[in-house]
Amino acid sequence: VSARQEGPLPAINASVTITVTGADLALSKSVSNATPDAGALISFTLGLTNTGPLPAGQVVVTDALPAGLTVVGSPAVTAGSVQVDGPNGLITWTHTSLAVGASAQMAMTTTVSATSGGQSLINRAGIASVQNESGSGTLADANTANHTPSVTVLPQTGDLTVGIVAAPNPVNAGAPLLYTTTVTNSGPTAVANFTLTNTLPASVTVQSSTPGCTVTFPTVVCVRSSALGVNASQSFTVVVTSSVLTTLVHNATVSTDTPESSTANNSASQSTTVDPASAIRLVLSGAGTQTAGSSQNLTITAKDSFGNTASGYSGDKALTFSGAANAPSGASPDVVDKDGRSGERGVGTEGRSRWA
């Protein structure tokens, strides 16, 4: 007896579940000090853990140091080996095997560059590859979100300010004027060095400056090659003179190889008024001739040694006019001061009848 099914076969609904087993490896990263001083030593620690369900064979971890961080010596590991590519800042940690529930660590010390203050230095690490326990292939890991930790380091910066004091202010023409320029580091960390550039007014003459500063008029450059600590200051002096009645403007600017939190306060300016020096002579001016019996106004001007008009004269000077009151037309009397010195014939003009 035989039977035969006529027509289409009935539909068969079936599902297949395929479970892929592997391991969940997690990489963590920490730093000993996330806000170190520029130039300080800090340490990083990597932690590698296998939460299963399968054991892992060889695991390769890489750690990339950013510019501004330099590894010191060779990192220490609890298992495996380390290769350091110093020029490229790349550390490769190779772990031979990692059982379920096991963990391993790598610790390294780095130097923070003295010129990295104020920069964000990001140190990134990652699991580059994972083999199965037999080493015959790659071990699956469905969760890779915990494979690439990073740590940000923000080296602390210095903050230089510059100030200028001029003394005396105002200053008399020809008298010494002392400029004192002070550089201060308000921190929070030291700066590696600094250069102070003073730009002097064109009308001054430099008499002296702090030893070690270089004078190339109109600039005076002072360099500090060693570190300047937090809240530390250094002052520099320049002594100048000026014979010109004017307002002197002295500018100063400071710079450093250490990045700063602000450079808005790296410049300063100081204005100084130059007054006339003490009067040392009087200048009598008036008409060159005078008709007998007539009158005119005479101007007496006090002058300092540079020819600047002084604001006053301390002392007495007497003028004696000799000659007949009714001298013939065009006659010129003598002009004599109280010390008995005669001026030129006639009523003096500036530059002719004068005395000291």
Side-chain angles (χ1 to χ4, degrees):
V1 177
S2 63
R4 186 176 60 181
Q5 174 70 41
E6 297 290 342
L9 294 173
I12 300 175
N13 295 322
S15 62
V16 178
T17 301
I18 300 175
T19 301
V20 178
T21 59
D24 183 10
L25 273 67
L27 187 65
S28 62
K29 189 172 188 62
S30 62
V31 64
S32 61
N33 185 359
T35 55
D37 292 348
L41 294 175
I42 58 174
S43 59
F44 293 92
T45 301
L46 277 176
L48 178 64
T49 303
N50 181 8
T51 61
L54 295 181
Q58 178 178 281
V59 181
V60 177
V61 174
T62 58
D63 193 313
L65 292 175
L69 294 177
T70 303
V71 67
V72 178
S74 181
V77 294
T78 57
S81 60
V82 176
Q83 289 183 329
V84 177
D85 180 358
N88 294 309
L90 183 64
I91 293 89
T92 302
W93 174 25
T94 302
H95 197 291
T96 54
S97 64
L98 198 62
V100 176
S103 62
Q105 291 79 39
M106 182 184 80
M108 63 178 173
T109 300
T110 64
T111 300
V112 181
S113 171
T115 60
S116 63
Q119 303 178 41
S120 292
L121 308 181
I122 303 176
N123 178 210
R124 294 182 171 90
I127 298 176
S129 64
V130 183
Q131 290 185 349
N132 57 29
E133 189 176 20
S134 65
S136 60
T138 300
L139 181 65
D141 189 338
N143 178 22
T144 58
N146 53 7
H147 282 198
T148 55
S150 65
V151 171
T152 299
V153 175
L154 182 63
Q156 296 300 287
T157 63
D159 184 16
L160 294 181
T161 60
V162 61
I164 308 171
V165 175
N169 190 3
V171 64
N172 289 336
L177 171 61
L178 173 64
Y179 286 125
T180 302
T181 307
T182 302
V183 178
T184 302
N185 177 22
S186 58
T189 62
V191 296
N193 50 47
F194 68 76
T195 298
L196 173 67
T197 302
N198 297 276
T199 303
L200 302 174
S203 61
V204 304
T205 300
V206 177
Q207 303 298 326
S208 64
S209 62
T210 296
C213 295
T214 302
V215 180
T216 307
F217 193 82
T219 62
V220 179
V221 178
C222 307
V223 177
R224 180 186 176 107
S225 57
S226 59
L228 184 68
V230 179
N231 296 324
S233 298
Q234 185 172 2
S235 295
F236 303 87
T237 60
V238 181
V239 178
V240 301
T241 56
S242 177
S243 60
V244 180
L245 303 188
T246 187
T247 298
L248 303 175
V249 179
H250 172 201
N251 297 302
T253 301
V254 67
S255 61
T256 177
D257 290 333
T258 302
E260 297 183 71
S261 57
S262 173
T263 57
N265 49 9
N266 283 25
S267 299
S269 181
Q270 176 65 51
S271 297
T272 306
T273 301
V274 180
D275 288 341
S278 298
I280 63 168
R281 68 180 186 272
L282 301 176
V283 176
L284 175 68
S285 59
T289 60
Q290 181 176 335
T291 302
S294 63
S295 63
Q296 67 167 296
N297 293 324
L298 302 178
T299 300
I300 302 176
T301 306
K303 296 286 186 178
D304 65 13
S305 60
F306 303 102
N308 300 312
T309 299
S311 58
Y313 180 82
S314 178
D316 296 325
K317 285 291 183 180
L319 295 179
T320 301
F321 292 86
S322 62
N326 294 319
S329 177
S332 301
D334 286 329
V335 181
V336 182
D337 71 9
K338 71 173 184 178
D339 298 317
R341 287 175 286 185
S342 296
E344 299 290 336
R345 297 286 297 175
V347 178
T349 59
E350 183 175 355
R352 296 180 64 190
S353 294
R354 62 179 65 192
W355 57 87

